[in-house]
Amino acid sequence: MRNRASNSLSKGKIRQSWSKYNLYNLQRLRSPATANRTFFQQKWTAKALGRAYHGEQVREGQWKRMFSKRIRSVIPMDTTDLAADDGSKISAGRGSGLQTQGDKGRPSKIIPYTQMAFAPLERRLDVAIFRSLFASSTRQARQFVIHGAVTVNGQKMRHPSYLLNPGDLFQVDPERVMFATGATKTKFERRETRQLKQKDEKEEEAEGEAETKSEEAAETKPEGEKEDSRDTLKALMSQAKNIMSTDKDVLPAKRKQELRGFQKAVRRVLSRSGTSTILTDNLEAQFSELTLMLNAKRAEKKPAKQSKQQSNSEESTSAATTEETEVASDKLSEAFQAAAEGADVDASELTDEEFEILKRALTQMRDNPIDHSKPYATPWRPRDYMSAFAFIPRYLEVNQNICAAVYLRHPVARPGSAEVPTPFGESISTPAYGWYLKRRW
């Protein structure tokens, strides 16, 4: 993404970016003055504004080779009118200012051809990634392509200038998309990430010392003695650590992250007691365990509730009610904290409402977990100032679940609209198109 200096407030140029400075420049955009300017100066100013937004990452010479004065457009034609009309009405009005009439006597919509001046740039892979909302700027989309996080038709593509053809499927690594479209971390989250990293390093050092002691004890152990499950887990953890230490420069970052996660999971299982009811990090297993406990609690309390309703009166004090709600909220918070830390959850004392709240919280924690190792803020939330730029052109079909999109066809101009997204009107697009019509190179 372009830095703050590129999105300066003094020049006020519009970029393909979700920056708040870019949004401010877009809000204060005004048509350039034409009173004391020559036609050449007007065209040059319009060209500079248009190029600052459309393909500013492309060199001017490269764009001039891409430019084409033949603009793709769609004109609706009625076959009945074409068969009945011999062209005499149109020929009679040429040069006389006669306005052609559309259906039902209304003036036909004008096709904004000049809005399509920069249409060839929409075929570029980096621009298509930005239009599909997979990156917060074209510069960032270009970085994703160069770093090998983008595939086109199943093949890795490292050229941001690749021109897409109709029917091409391109896909971006979901982790890159989450980083590009997610909110940035606050200073408190960054500090917590550093603290957890230091804690993990200390734990790894302590584990290394414990493993050396266990290995020494295993050497003195008789050969016929069988290892139990805890020894097997310790052996697996030591193997993972050996892989991390020996192949440190060869392993990719994702593989290292998986091995660290495996080590943490093994440590969590080893730290629990043998009488634990929930020995897994899978939330679906926690749901089934909690559901069984809740059903048992309902079956026990149902006859008790019926007898209580018949015997007890309606007298109750407000102090007792507030005390019960405080106790219930404490129990709910304790249960959620235990579930978040991966410990045993006791749902026997929770009410039906509290259990449903706990289940929804666990579902949200499963779908959008808190992970301080990620470079973006977790739980994931959209990036600030994103809504003003969140639109997808008609020539793209996007699947946000797998971070893939299909380039359906080339953008075209229609009566009353053009499919190339642009913040400028015809007062800028028309002179810019005229600048490139007469070639000076």
Side-chain angles (χ1 to χ4, degrees):
M1 186 174 178
R2 294 186 65 86
N3 54 21
R4 185 179 300 181
S6 303
N7 291 305
S8 62
L9 301 179
S10 59
K11 296 181 180 179
K13 289 187 177 181
I14 312 300
R15 309 287 186 182
Q16 289 182 350
S17 170
W18 297 352
S19 171
K20 59 182 179 181
Y21 305 101
N22 190 44
L23 184 62
Y24 176 75
N25 291 333
L26 184 62
Q27 185 271 337
R28 66 172 185 169
L29 176 66
R30 299 293 183 271
S31 298
T34 59
N36 299 324
R37 289 176 174 265
T38 63
F39 188 47
F40 178 87
Q41 292 174 334
Q42 295 177 26
K43 289 193 296 182
W44 190 91
T45 303
K47 184 268 299 184
L49 291 174
R51 286 284 289 122
Y53 178 80
H54 294 280
E56 51 91 17
Q57 78 279 10
V58 182
R59 296 190 303 272
E60 184 69 11
Q62 186 178 357
W63 156 240
K64 288 177 180 179
R65 291 190 296 270
M66 294 176 63
F67 175 77
S68 175
K69 62 181 180 181
R70 298 179 180 86
I71 294 176
R72 300 176 185 271
S73 61
V74 173
I75 302 175
M77 295 183 179
D78 191 355
T79 56
T80 305
D81 294 341
L82 290 175
D85 189 9
D86 58 353
S88 59
K89 294 181 180 179
I90 299 177
S91 62
R94 285 180 180 173
S96 61
L98 181 64
Q99 186 177 18
T100 59
Q101 300 293 322
D103 298 337
K104 299 180 181 180
R106 292 178 296 183
S108 59
K109 293 182 179 179
I110 300 174
I111 300 178
Y113 291 103
T114 56
Q115 295 286 96
M116 301 284 295
F118 299 99
L121 290 169
E122 300 297 316
R123 292 184 58 188
R124 286 177 57 94
L125 181 59
D126 52 358
V127 177
I129 291 172
F130 171 73
R131 298 297 188 196
S132 303
L133 306 182
F134 294 155
S136 59
S137 66
T138 50
R139 291 281 182 175
Q140 191 178 51
R142 181 185 179 89
Q143 185 186 48
F144 289 169
V145 177
I146 294 174
H147 289 183
V150 181
T151 59
V152 177
N153 297 329
Q155 301 294 326
K156 187 176 291 186
M157 177 59 63
R158 293 182 179 270
H159 301 283
S161 59
Y162 175 78
L163 299 181
L164 296 170
N165 297 314
D168 282 350
L169 169 69
F170 59 92
Q171 189 172 9
V172 187
D173 183 16
E175 279 298 317
R176 300 297 183 97
V177 178
M178 296 282 282
F179 168 72
T181 59
T184 57
K185 286 185 175 182
T186 61
K187 60 180 182 180
F188 303 103
E189 291 173 337
R190 290 194 295 269
R191 182 179 63 184
E192 192 170 7
T193 302
R194 291 193 298 269
Q195 292 175 354
L196 289 174
K197 189 176 179 181
Q198 294 173 359
K199 185 179 179 182
D200 291 341
E201 291 177 355
K202 292 179 180 179
E203 288 179 357
E204 288 180 0
E205 293 177 358
E207 285 170 9
E209 296 176 357
E211 285 170 9
T212 54
K213 293 180 180 179
S214 62
E215 288 175 0
E216 293 176 357
E219 290 177 358
T220 60
K221 196 175 182 180
E223 297 179 356
E225 189 174 350
K226 295 183 180 179
E227 295 182 351
D228 58 354
S229 59
R230 295 177 65 87
D231 294 336
T232 306
L233 290 174
K234 288 180 180 179
L236 290 174
M237 190 164 60
S238 63
Q239 290 178 6
K241 187 173 181 181
N242 291 333
I243 294 172
M244 289 282 293
S245 60
T246 55
D247 300 336
K248 192 172 183 180
D249 299 331
V250 180
L251 287 175
K254 190 173 183 181
R255 183 62 178 163
K256 292 179 183 177
Q257 187 176 1
E258 290 176 355
L259 289 173
R260 292 193 187 99
F262 172 73
Q263 290 177 347
K264 290 181 181 178
V266 172
R267 288 198 303 268
R268 194 179 295 115
V269 172
L270 291 174
S271 63
R272 291 172 181 165
S273 62
T275 60
S276 178
T277 56
I278 302 175
L279 293 177
T280 178
D281 295 331
N282 188 4
L283 292 178
E284 295 294 341
Q286 291 186 4
F287 290 159
S288 61
E289 184 77 16
L290 292 173
T291 305
L292 292 175
M293 295 174 66
L294 182 64
N295 293 335
K297 184 191 68 172
R298 283 176 179 171
E300 292 176 359
K301 291 189 176 182
K302 190 173 182 181
K305 283 184 179 180
Q306 292 178 355
S307 60
K308 191 176 182 180
Q309 287 177 357
Q310 294 175 358
S311 59
N312 291 344
S313 61
E314 295 180 354
E315 297 178 357
S316 61
T317 59
S318 60
T321 305
T322 54
E323 186 178 356
E324 289 178 0
T325 54
E326 289 177 358
V327 172
S329 61
D330 293 339
K331 292 177 180 177
L332 180 60
S333 60
E334 290 175 1
F336 177 74
Q337 184 177 1
E341 294 176 354
D344 301 338
V345 179
D346 185 12
S348 58
E349 298 182 359
L350 297 180
T351 62
D352 297 349
E353 287 186 7
E354 292 170 352
F355 179 79
E356 293 298 329
I357 293 172
L358 177 61
K359 189 172 181 179
R360 286 197 299 269
L362 290 175
T363 305
Q364 184 178 4
M365 188 171 62
R366 176 196 60 186
D367 298 335
N368 196 4
I370 299 175
D371 190 356
H372 297 289
S373 63
K374 302 293 184 182
Y376 47 86
T378 55
W380 188 91
R381 57 186 183 272
R383 184 181 288 270
D384 295 337
Y385 311 102
M386 176 183 174
S387 59
F389 309 96
F391 64 92
I392 298 175
R394 298 177 63 178
Y395 54 87
L396 290 174
E397 185 69 27
V398 181
N399 188 340
Q400 301 289 350
N401 295 326
I402 60 175
C403 300
V406 178
Y407 185 78
L408 299 176
R409 52 177 173 77
H410 301 307
V412 296
R414 300 175 180 273
S417 65
E419 291 185 351
V420 174
T422 178
F424 309 114
E426 293 186 2
S427 61
I428 295 178
S429 60
T430 301
Y433 180 69
W435 171 272
Y436 290 106
L437 272 181
K438 187 174 182 180
R439 304 198 173 202
R440 296 177 177 83
W441 54 87

